Amino acid sequence: TDQRFVGKVLVITGAGGQFGRAACRYFGERGARIAALDQNAEGLEGTFAELSDEFDSKGFVCDVTNASQVASVVERIVERFGRIDLLWNNAGYQGKIQSCLDYDPIDFANVMNINVTGMFIVLQAVARKMKQQGGGVIVNTASVAGMRGTPGMIAYASSKAAILTMTVNAAKELARFHIRVNSISPALIGPGYMWDRQNALHAELGPPYYADTAEKVGEAKINAVPMQRVGSVEEVLQSTAFLLSSESSYTTGINLVVDGG
Ligand code: NAD
C-alpha cells in the first residue's frame, strides 16, 4: 500500500469541489490528516458526507480572497493538527464564457482575485508556517488554459498563466527554506459536471471556435487529444500526489501537464 502520506497534514483548498472532494478521499485513504477548506459550506458538507469517520480531517469554511480569514484559519489548522506538511492550493473559479470582445471586466477582476490573489494569500500564509517548521510542499492548480489560451475564457486563461509564474517565483524564493512549490495543469477531465458544463457553454459561444452542440464540442476536443480520450480525476490526483510526495524531492518550480499528449 501507498505509505507516502501516512500522518502528513495536508491542507486542500476548493475541498468542496470536484477535485478537492476526490482528493480528500484519495489522500485520506492513504493516511493523510486533512484540513479541507472551501468558501461553500454546502460543498464542504457534501465532501464530509462522503468521508469515512476514520479519517482525521476537519472542514473550514474560508474565502481564500480574504487574507485575515485565511490567516485565522491557518492558525486554527495548526492548533488542531500541530503543523502543516503539504498544501494543495486548488480553489478556483472559471469565470464567464464570453468572447474577449464582450468579456465583462468586473468578472475578469473577480477571476483574477480568486485564482491569483486568493492562491497567493493561501500560499503566503501556509509558507510562513512551513518556514517556521523547517519545510513543506505546495502544489498549485493551474491549467493548460494558462499555457495555450482557451477561446471564451480570457480571464481564466490569464489567471492560470499567472499561477505558472507565481509557482516558479515562489519556488525560487522558498527553496532555501526547504519548501518546494510546483503546479499541475490538467486539460480535459471527465466525465462529469465540469466537462458537460464547459462543452454546453462552449457550444453556446459556437463557431468559429466551437461546434454548435455540446456533444459535437466534446467530440472535437477528444479528437484533438493524441490519447483520444479525456483524463480522469484519479489521474489528476496521481500526478498531484507525485508532486506532493518525496518522490519528487529534487523538483521545484515545474508545471506538470496532465493532458493526454
Ligand atoms: P470546482 O468548481 O468543482 O471546485 C472549485 C472549488 O473552489 C469550489 O468548491 C468552490 O466553492 C471553491 N472556491 C471558489 N472560490 C473560492 C474562494 N474564494 N474561496 C474558497 N474556495 C473557493 O472545480 P474543480 O474541477 O474541482 O477544479 C479545481 C481546480 O482545478 C480549479 O482551480 C480549476 O480551475 C482547476 N482545473 C480544473 C479542470 C477540470 O477539468 N475540472 C481542468 C483544469 C484545471
Side-chain angles (χ1 to χ4, degrees):
T1 54
D2 188 349
Q3 297 293 311
R4 295 176 295 174
F5 302 102
V6 175
K8 301 281 187 198
V9 178
L10 166 61
V11 175
I12 301 176
T13 69
Q18 180 183 223
F19 289 0
R21 180 172 297 181
C24 287
R25 191 200 309 237
Y26 181 96
F27 291 104
E29 281 171 351
R30 285 161 176 76
R33 306 166 66 208
I34 295 171
L37 275 60
D38 206 295
Q39 177 189 43
N40 179 351
E42 245 175 76
L44 260 192
E45 277 170 31
T47 295
F48 278 86
E50 285 184 17
L51 282 189
S52 146
D53 293 341
E54 288 162 32
F55 299 165
D56 184 11
S57 54
K58 184 169 169 55
F60 299 86
V61 176
C62 176
D63 177 352
V64 297
T65 66
N66 183 329
S68 62
Q69 215 180 84
V70 169
S72 93
V73 164
V74 166
E75 288 308 322
R76 284 163 59 206
I77 291 170
V78 173
E79 274 168 33
R80 166 69 173 72
F81 292 98
R83 54 186 290 114
I84 299 174
D85 299 300
L86 313 171
L87 164 65
W88 191 13
N89 209 355
N90 168 71
Y93 167 54
Q94 282 197 339
K96 300 197 165 158
I97 309 275
Q98 281 174 335
S99 153
C100 67
L101 297 174
D102 302 323
Y103 205 97
D104 175 6
I106 293 176
D107 192 67
F108 191 102
N110 195 20
V111 170
M112 295 301 275
N113 192 35
I114 295 169
N115 293 359
V116 184
T117 310
M119 184 162 292
F120 167 68
I121 287 170
V122 175
L123 181 145
Q124 181 184 58
V126 171
R128 284 174 176 165
K129 286 290 168 200
M130 288 175 167
K131 180 189 168 205
Q132 286 171 10
Q133 291 167 188
V137 188
I138 297 172
V139 173
N140 298 323
T141 308
S143 167
V144 292
M147 303 158 61
R148 303 170 193 159
T150 302
M153 300 180 73
I154 195 163
Y156 182 78
S158 303
S159 75
K160 293 300 187 177
I163 290 169
L164 300 177
T165 305
M166 191 196 310
T167 299
V168 174
N169 211 101
K172 288 187 172 176
E173 291 191 38
L174 298 175
R176 72 188 59 196
F177 305 118
H178 310 289
I179 300 169
R180 296 190 296 114
V181 190
N182 292 294
S183 65
I184 184 120
S185 281
L188 307 175
I189 305 301
Y193 167 77
M194 296 299 281
W195 169 248
D196 292 341
R197 173 180 181 268
Q198 224 177 53
N199 291 342
L201 291 172
H202 285 164
E204 268 174 42
L205 191 67
Y209 300 113
Y210 299 106
D212 53 6
T213 69
E215 200 184 17
K216 282 194 260 171
V217 170
E219 258 174 43
K221 287 180 182 172
I222 289 171
N223 276 333
V225 177
M227 288 190 194
Q228 294 284 292
R229 64 172 179 86
V230 294
S232 66
V233 174
E234 178 90 3
E235 288 174 313
V236 174
L237 296 177
Q238 286 167 0
S239 293
T240 304
F242 168 70
L243 291 176
L244 284 174
S245 79
S246 59
E247 281 177 39
S248 58
S249 53
Y250 196 51
T251 295
T252 195
I254 70 139
N255 177 42
L256 181 52
V257 178
V258 185
D259 72 346

